Amino acid sequence: MDSKRAPYATKILKEYKELMQELSTETRIPQSKLLDEAIEDLLKKYGKIKDT
């Protein structure tokens, strides 16, 4: 198990869930990695982490 990762459960709009599944299938990128990227972008936007 990757010690840098932690479970995180939440609810999202059904439309977003369907679109995430579609994007994951199209790109062959796991949904967890796509969510990591989205969360990282959001944290950068609000100055919680530095742009790398």
Side-chain angles (χ1 to χ4, degrees):
M1 183 176 210
D2 187 349
S3 63
K4 291 185 178 186
R5 302 192 65 80
Y8 188 80
T10 189
K11 290 186 179 187
I12 61 173
L13 295 173
K14 288 180 182 181
E15 179 183 3
Y16 291 173
K17 180 180 182 279
E18 292 166 2
L19 291 170
M20 280 292 296
Q21 290 171 328
E22 185 179 306
L23 181 61
S24 179
T25 299
E26 290 172 1
T27 61
R28 300 181 72 190
I29 299 171
Q31 290 182 48
S32 61
K33 297 295 184 187
L34 293 171
L35 287 170
D36 284 346
E37 181 179 342
I39 291 168
E40 182 178 338
D41 288 347
L42 185 65
L43 292 171
K44 285 177 183 176
K45 176 181 175 179
Y46 287 98
K48 294 297 182 181
I49 58 175
K50 293 184 179 183
D51 228 348
T52 54

